[in-house]
């Protein structure tokens, strides 16, 4: 029964969303690993492997790679963001603002170790990610963030990497991509089996592991199911997203939410609120839900709309 319930649920999602173009666009933000440094040939880099993979599923699928060697979380901040002294300014050609300008279905961020090498604190890295995610959430674009990868740095630098690894997994849950296991060692350094020889970048084997980790996240399947209609018909804002406790649904006084149901990734109902009839901001307590992806079914002015919602710890 569960199998058929899941199939029915996702079928209803597709029907409700309507006839959506099958083409998917994914933008990659990052530094040298994402840019393709390390492997014997650029085609063996994880991004180029992933590009070939998504195009094998549909020739119209696109991966736009904005990564550049040496980049940090400061470089990908929204355009116009003021950064502290001695910190890089956002690159308007390779940051979250530029990524959003392509109207992508998803964004992947891979910034492995330059922040730690530059001695930027974990708290500043996480705050930068918060600003990046806020910008993406406003545009209703899901973001996957990789952990760091291990690097032969000083003791404090390697501790920074380890703390950032744990913080990424805890904060972003299903939206975090594990680029550490096998790649990074318990002391924070890079596993020599996957090093290109400089203790920083990955060889062909290392990039293949990263490619497999990205494929395992099933990003294309997720965005094909929960992709929003690209218009402002309902003018609904869902925030914060990701959230760790409460989530707010704001209609900006223009529309009426009459029903709100939240499903988990298996299609099971976890919240059911009928006869809501709210036109202003409405909040829901999600503390009882586990970390992961959820799908919100909204009936607004008699029409069905689906939104994706991420719950983090």
């Amino acid at each position: 029964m569960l199998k058929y319930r899941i199939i029915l649920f996702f079928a209803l999602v597709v029907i409700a969303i309507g006839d959506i173009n099958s083409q998917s666009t994914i933008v990659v933000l990052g530094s040298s690993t994402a840019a393709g440094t390390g492997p014997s040939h650029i085609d063996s880099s994880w991004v180029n492997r992933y590009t070939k993979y998504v195009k094998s599923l549909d020739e119209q699928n696109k991966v736009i790679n904005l990564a550049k060697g040496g980049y940090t979380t400061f470089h990908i901040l929204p355009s116009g963001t003021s950064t502290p002294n001695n910190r890089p300014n956002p690159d308007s050609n390779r940051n979250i603002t530029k990524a959003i300008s392509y109207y992508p279905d998803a964004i992947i961020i891979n910034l492995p170790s330059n922040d730690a090498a530059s001695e930027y604190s974990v708290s500043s890295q996480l705050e930068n990610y918060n600003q990046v995610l806020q910008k993406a959430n406003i545009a209703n674009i899901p973001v996957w963030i990789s952990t760091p990868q291990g690097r032969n740095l000083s003791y404090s630098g390697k501790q920074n990497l380890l703390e950032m690894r744990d913080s990424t997994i805890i904060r972003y849950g299903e939206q975090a991509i594990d680029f550490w296991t096998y790649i990074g060692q318990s002391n924070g350094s890079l596993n020599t089996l996957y090093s290109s020889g400089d203790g920083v970048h990955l060889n062909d084997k290392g990039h293949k592991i990263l490619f497999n980790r990205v494929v395992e996240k099933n990003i294309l399947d997720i965005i094909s199911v929960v992709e929003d209609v690209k218009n402002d018909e309902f003018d609904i804002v869902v925030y914060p997203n990701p959230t760790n406790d409460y989530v707010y649904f704001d209609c900006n006084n223009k529309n009426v939410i009459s029903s709100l149901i939240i499903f988990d990734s298996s299609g099971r109902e976890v919240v059911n609120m009928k006869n809501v009839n709210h036109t202003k901001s409405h909040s829901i307590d999600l503390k009882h839900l586990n970390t992961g992806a959820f799908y919100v079914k909204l009936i607004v002015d008699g029409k069905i709309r689906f939104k994706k919602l991420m719950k983090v710890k």
Side-chain angles (χ1 to χ4, degrees), residues 26 40 43 56 99-100 138 144 146 150 177 190 192 206 225 229-230 243 256 282 291 300:
I26 298 173
S40 59
D43 288 345
S56 72
I100 291 172
I138 292 173
W144 278 260
S146 78
I177 308 176
L190 180 61
T192 56
V225 171
V229 177
K230 305 249 189 243
T243 182
V256 177
H282 178 66
T291 298
V300 184

Side-chain angles (χ1 to χ4, degrees), residues 44-84:
S44 295
S45 68
W46 80 258
V47 174
N48 282 2
R49 286 175 183 266
Y50 190 63
T51 301
K52 183 178 180 180
Y53 166 76
V54 300
K55 292 184 76 66
S56 72
L57 300 177
D58 187 327
E59 185 60 33
Q60 292 186 323
N61 288 337
K62 293 190 296 185
V63 175
I64 300 171
N65 192 358
L66 301 181
K68 184 176 180 179
Y71 271 25
T72 67
T73 57
F74 287 97
H75 289 95
I76 68 168
L77 285 169
S79 297
T81 302
S82 296
T83 59

Side-chain angles (χ1 to χ4, degrees), residues 29 72-79 81 95-97 99-100 107-109 111 125-139 141 143-145 172 241-242:
L29 296 175
T72 67
T73 57
F74 287 97
H75 289 95
I76 68 168
L77 285 169
S79 297
T81 302
N95 64 349
I96 185 62
T97 306
I100 291 172
I107 295 171
I108 301 173
I109 301 175
L111 291 165
Q125 295 175 60
L126 294 174
E127 174 55 32
N128 289 345
Y129 276 149
N130 283 342
Q131 294 186 58
V132 168
L133 289 174
Q134 286 173 10
K135 194 77 173 178
N137 288 338
I138 292 173
I141 301 171
V143 179
W144 278 260
I145 299 176
Y172 307 120
N241 189 8

Side-chain angles (χ1 to χ4, degrees), residues 264-276:
D264 63 17
S265 58
S266 70
R268 180 175 62 92
E269 265 185 33
V270 293
V271 174
N272 190 328
M273 301 183 67
K274 297 179 179 179
N275 301 316
V276 179

Side-chain angles (χ1 to χ4, degrees), residues 28-31 33-34 46 108-112 146-147 149 179 210:
V28 176
L29 296 175
S31 55
T33 296
W46 80 258
I108 301 173
I109 301 175
N110 173 210
L111 291 165
S146 78
T147 65
Q149 297 160 197
F179 276 11
L210 303 192

Side-chain angles (χ1 to χ4, degrees), residues 1 62-64 84 94 111 133 138 141 144 153 179 183 189 191 199 233 235 242 260 263 265 284 297-298 306 308 312:
M1 286 295 294
K62 293 190 296 185
V63 175
I64 300 171
R94 297 176 181 273
L111 291 165
L133 289 174
I138 292 173
I141 301 171
W144 278 260
L153 298 172
F179 276 11
I183 300 295
S189 61
N191 187 333
E233 181 181 1
D235 200 20
L260 190 157
F263 302 86
S265 58
I284 296 178
K297 176 183 177 182
L298 299 157
F306 283 86
K308 183 178 180 182
V312 296

